[in-house]
Amino acid sequence: MAVTIQIRRIIPPHKRELAVTLLDQVRNLTRHQNGHFYTEVLSTPEVSEISIENSTWSSMKAWRHWEASREWQLAQSRIESLLESKTDVRVVGGIA
C-alpha cells in the first residue's frame, strides 16, 4: 500500500538561498528513486521559513530504502547543517 511521508524543516532566513538549492537537488534525486510516486511541496523556503513536503511512495519499504541510501544521508546531512532544528519526518498517510 502507498505511504505518504511528511518532511518538515525550519530554515533560518539567512540560510534560505543555499537551503533552496539543496532542497531542489534532493527533490531531483528523489524523483528518480524506485517506488517514488510524487512529492507535493506544501510550502517553500522562498515564502516561509518552514518547508513542508509530502512525499508519496509505493510502500514503506521503498521509502526506507531511499531513507537509508548514501545519497539521502549525504543530502540530508548537508541540509541539517543549515537548519535551526532537526528535520521532522513522519508518516501521514497509508500504512506505517
Side-chain angles (χ1 to χ4, degrees), residues 1-88:
M1 174 181 233
V3 63
T4 299
I5 309 297
Q6 186 171 85
I7 304 168
R8 297 172 55 101
R9 299 177 175 102
I10 299 175
I11 302 166
H14 63 282
K15 296 183 180 179
R16 187 174 296 156
E17 188 174 332
L18 179 55
V20 168
T21 299
L22 292 174
L23 290 170
D24 285 345
Q25 290 172 0
V26 171
R27 284 186 205 114
N28 190 47
L29 288 171
T30 302
R31 191 174 299 129
H32 301 288
Q33 300 307 307
N34 288 333
H36 178 256
F37 289 156
Y38 62 91
T39 296
E40 175 183 31
V41 178
L42 302 177
S43 63
T44 62
E46 294 97 332
V47 178
S48 169
E49 293 155 359
I50 300 174
S51 171
I52 302 172
E53 300 174 16
N54 285 342
S55 187
T56 301
W57 294 79
S58 61
S59 66
M60 182 58 82
K61 182 178 178 180
W63 160 251
R64 292 286 186 219
H65 180 75
W66 170 234
E67 185 181 38
S69 74
R70 188 177 191 310
E71 287 177 305
W72 167 262
Q73 294 296 321
L74 181 59
Q76 184 60 20
S77 174
R78 292 177 65 201
I79 292 168
E80 288 280 332
S81 72
L82 302 175
L83 304 181
E84 292 182 351
S85 58
K86 189 169 174 55
T87 300
D88 179 27

